């Protein structure tokens, strides 16, 4: 063996293979964890992100500077600080420039930096960048020895281990990364709320997580959207881990031709628009989603707009609910608040994360204060030398002129006046212009101000509360400069507990039902108020011989009970009835509920809840029945259940809700009315047939059922558009089953009675005709008359048109 072989042999170390692999892999894992994938909890930045900002700071790319090519920044970052591929570095600051990924972007980009569509950015040679104002706040005071520095990868320069981070970047912008055996996923938050939470914790270090949540209620995503429920937020804030349900924002809008569309204007965080559209299109092709006719992306510079056009017979809310359940329109964000604390990976709750930031800022403010104090003292020391020299100016000049060298002059001044070496050097460098009276005055003023500054800085270092005050004051300034409104709305209910109506705005609706079984709803404010005797506005365009039979007012959150001629009852939520334009006929009821052949909807009741109370029913032949409302609270909503057993020649025609202590008033088409206590009709089961309510004359039938309250009047409307209001007290209380008293003088001018409703002078009523004309009239414009009168004209009708229904406009809180 020669000398070289012997040398190599001495360097070989024999050890078990598994030990070598374990040690090498652990070194690699820790390198990935600490130097690549995880952010520092102090400034919220990974090493590459921090190095990008430092490189841009070296290039002086402030928000007011000219943009420079991204390739140059990526190259400088790679060459000076981050010895990896420039493409990976470029993609890092591309993300830092994307306002749909960063709540407060740290890079101001110019050019194609990608989009929420999922489209990639342009090449680095085509785009340009500079720092955003937030990045400047992150770097402020870096030159004041506020943080530690270490040599860069090749030892040619120093780089900071962490940034001063006046801007609380960790929570405001969040972070994500996958290391070896661990990952982090911190959501972004609103600056105003984060600043308030930090201030709250500074004031009271014993503040609990629940108290923090009062000012920091949850994440605030840059893409807006909704957060469903608070339990996931609470888990994440208490333990550092949790799952948050997020959802895009979508509304149903009517289209021309009686169709509807789902309009999506906001997406969940990190959901790409193109992938969502592709996913929905795939479900339609695979027949896993019915009712969609077309998908159009109308997104432009004004904002996101995805239009999902529905088929004519589709139920918009059902399609939307399917999208929520089976597409990324509703998804989850898994929170893992993991990051480096003093170089060690730790999972922190929100309070601990805020405390890490507070301690970091305390260190930064303290070190900055010490730096500024040292510089102030150094300057004051020099000024003291100037003052001594100026007070002894002639002697100083003589010493300098009499010295052969600078060193001799310096030593003589030090010995004669007790000056330090630094003071003597400054005096020797003093220019002649500083010897004027004005300059001497400026030196005195500067010295006086420096003494005040030194006192203030020493005061700050002596009192930790003043350091905390400075942190709070700087946060308040950040809020004033950059604070904005919350973008993401938090819905208190959890996703699994959210019903369809929680996602739908509550608003008043007018619902119409036609003779041929078509139903639609429209916002109530479409119908403007008119005086009596007007011509109304079109609420439906007739098709063939169809005509409007029923009109009623409800809200989107109420349950609609559809009663049919055969005595069955079906349920729908009001929002499940499709929206329609004024001229649209609507959707066939058979497409919404399973109405049997030969059945027609003859009565509809709007119910807020199935609490206490009764359903009072009347048939055309004068039979009445009372049944507990709870009897109809059944999950079999679309299949229907029996409400009343009927004779073959009879039909259910009117339904009202009662309390059990009300009085009811039955009105016939011939203008007769009978008023009696509802208690005269005992409560029966759903299968019961009922009892006689009124004795009808030949050719007469029931057309009205009212449940008047004390002080109300009864509005009676005839088919030819005449009506009046009469005090309820004019209808004497009788027993059920009698013939009753006159309520309207029926003649050729008025036509038969078609409807009644109890009203007050503050109410408004709506009338609808067979041709779909609607008029909305204030009750106070309708004359109050006695029972045996013909009334006044309420609506001017075409020759062949007739009033079909009347309804009171329901005020908020009423059933």
């Amino acid at each position: 063996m020669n000398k070289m072989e012997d040398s190599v042999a001495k360097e070989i170390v024999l050890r078990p293979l598994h030990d070598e692999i374990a040690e090498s892999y652990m070194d690699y894992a820790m390198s990935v964890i600490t130097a690549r994938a995880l952010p520092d909890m102090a400034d919220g930045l990974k090493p590459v992100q921090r190095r990008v900002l430092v490189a841009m700071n070296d290039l002086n790319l402030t928000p007011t500077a000219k943009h420079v090519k991204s390739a140059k920044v990526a190259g400088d970052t790679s060459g000076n600080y981050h010895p990896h591929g420039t493409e990976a570095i470029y993609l890092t600051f591309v993300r830092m420039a994307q306002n749909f990924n960063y709540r407060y972007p740290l890079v101001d980009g110019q050019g194609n930096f990608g989009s929420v569509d999922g489209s990639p950015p342009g090449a680095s040679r085509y785009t340009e960048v500079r720092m955003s104002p937030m990045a400047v706040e992150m770097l402020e005071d870096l030159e004041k020895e506020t943080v530690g520095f270490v040599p860069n990868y090749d030892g040619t320069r120093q780089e900071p281990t962490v940034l001063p981070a006046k801007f609380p970047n960790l929570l405001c912008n969040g972070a994500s990364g996958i290391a070896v055996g661990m990952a982090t996923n911190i959501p972004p938050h609103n600056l105003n709320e984060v600043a308030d939470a930090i201030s709250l914790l500074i004031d009271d270090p014993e503040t609990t997580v629940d108290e923090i949540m009062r000012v920091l209620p949850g994440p605030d995503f840059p893409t807006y959207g909704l957060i469903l429920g608070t339990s996931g937020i609470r888990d994440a804030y208490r333990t550092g881990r949790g799952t948050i349900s997020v959802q895009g924002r979508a509304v149903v809008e009517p289209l021309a031709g009686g169709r509807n569309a789902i309009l999506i204007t906001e997406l969940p965080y990190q959901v790409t628009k193109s992938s969502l559209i592709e996913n929905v299109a795939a479900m339609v092709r695979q027949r896993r989603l019915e009712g969609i006719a077309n998908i159009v992306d109308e997104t432009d510079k004004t904002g996101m707009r995805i239009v999902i056009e529905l088929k004519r017979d589709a139920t918009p809310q059902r399609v939307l609910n399917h999208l929520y359940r089976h597409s990324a329109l509703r998804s989850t964000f898994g929170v893992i608040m993991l990051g480096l604390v003093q170089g060690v990976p730790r999972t922190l709750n929100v309070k601990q994360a805020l405390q890490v930031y507070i301690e970091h800022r305390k260190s930064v403010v303290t070190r900055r204060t010490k730096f500024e104090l040292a510089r102030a003292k150094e300057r004051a020391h020099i000024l003291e030398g100037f003052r001594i020299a100026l007070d002894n100016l002639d002697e100083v000049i003589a010493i300098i002129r009499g010295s052969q060298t600078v060193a001799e002059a310096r030593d003589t001044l030090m010995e004669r006046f007790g000056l330090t070496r630094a003071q003597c050097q400054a005096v020797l460098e003093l220019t002649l212009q500083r010897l004027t009276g004005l300059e001497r005055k400026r030196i005195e003023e500067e010295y006086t101000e420096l003494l005040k500054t030194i006192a203030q800085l020493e005061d700050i270092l002596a009192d930790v509360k003043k350091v905390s005050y400075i942190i709070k004051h700087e946060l308040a300034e950040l809020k004033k400069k950059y604070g904005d409104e919350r973008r993401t709305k938090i819905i208190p209910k959890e996703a699994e507990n959210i019903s369809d109506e929680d996602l739908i705005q509550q608003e008043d609706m007018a619902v119409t039902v036609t003779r041929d079984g078509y139903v639609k709803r429209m916002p109530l404010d479409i119908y403007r108020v008119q005086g009596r005797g007007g011509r109304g506005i079109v609420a439906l365009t007739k098709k063939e011989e169809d005509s409007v039979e029923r009109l009623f007012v409800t809200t989107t959150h109420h349950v609609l009970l559809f009663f049919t001629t055969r005595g069955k009852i079906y349920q729908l939520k009001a929002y499940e009835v499709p929206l329609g334009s004024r001229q649209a006929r609507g959707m066939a009821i058979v497409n919404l509920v399973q109405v049997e052949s030969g059945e027609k909807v003859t009565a509809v009741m709007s119910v807020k809840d199935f609490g206490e109370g009764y359903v009072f029913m009347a048939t055309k032949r004068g039979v009445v029945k009372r049944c507990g409302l709870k009897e109809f609270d059944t999950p079999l909503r679309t299949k229907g259940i029996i409400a009343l057993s009927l004779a073959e020649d009879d039909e259910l025609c009117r339904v009202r809700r009662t309390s059990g202590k009300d009085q009811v008033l039955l009105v016939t088409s011939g203008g007769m009315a009978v008023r009696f206590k509802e208690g005269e009709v005992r409560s029966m089961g759903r299968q019961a047939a009922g009892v006689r309510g009124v004795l009808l004359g030949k050719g007469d039938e029931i057309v009205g059922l009212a449940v008047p309250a004390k002080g109300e009047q009864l509005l009676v409307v005839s088919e030819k558009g005449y009506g009046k209001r009469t005090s309820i007290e004019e209808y004497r209380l009788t027993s059920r089953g009698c013939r009753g008293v006159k309520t309207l003088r029926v003649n050729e001018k008025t036509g038969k009675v078609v409807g009644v409703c109890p009203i007050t002078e503050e109410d408004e009523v709506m009338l609808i005709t067979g041709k779909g004309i609607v008029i909305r009239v204030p009750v106070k414009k309708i004359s109050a008359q006695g029972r045996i009168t013909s009334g006044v004209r309420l609506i001017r009708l075409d020759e062949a048109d007739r009033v079909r229904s009347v309804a009171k406009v329901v005020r908020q809180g009423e059933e």
Side-chain angles (χ1 to χ4, degrees), residues 561-571 594 596 599 615 617 625-634 636-647 652 655 684-690:
L561 304 181
F562 292 84
F563 294 83
T564 69
T565 52
R566 298 312 307 151
K568 291 188 70 175
I569 182 174
Y570 301 85
Q571 286 187 40
Q594 299 175 16
E596 295 179 1
E599 275 189 301
V615 175
M617 294 167 273
K625 174 185 173 181
R626 187 162 65 107
C627 187
L629 182 59
K630 291 181 180 179
E631 296 277 345
F632 303 114
D633 187 8
T634 169
L636 301 176
R637 295 169 54 189
T638 57
K639 292 184 179 180
I641 55 176
I642 294 293
L644 172 70
S645 295
L646 291 166
L652 178 61
V655 179
M684 310 175 194
R686 289 193 295 104
Q687 302 289 340

Side-chain angles (χ1 to χ4, degrees), residues 64 90 108 139 252 307 478 483 522 586 652 794-795:
T64 58
Y90 175 54
D108 177 12
L139 291 156
V252 177
V307 181
L478 284 176
M522 290 169 290
L652 178 61
L794 302 183
I795 183 172

Side-chain angles (χ1 to χ4, degrees), residues 251-264 291-296 298 305-314 316 319 520-523 526 541 578-587:
V251 295
V252 177
E253 285 193 349
L255 297 176
R259 297 189 302 128
N260 293 284
I262 294 172
L263 175 61
I264 300 173
I292 293 180
N294 192 22
I295 304 174
V296 182
E298 298 181 357
R305 183 180 172 87
I306 304 172
V307 181
I308 300 178
E309 299 175 1
L310 304 182
K311 296 178 180 178
R312 190 180 301 276
D313 59 349
V319 176
K520 70 173 180 180
R521 64 183 170 96
M522 290 169 290
I526 284 180
T541 299
L579 279 167
S581 63
R582 285 197 294 111
Q583 292 78 16
R585 186 167 58 158
M587 179 180 288

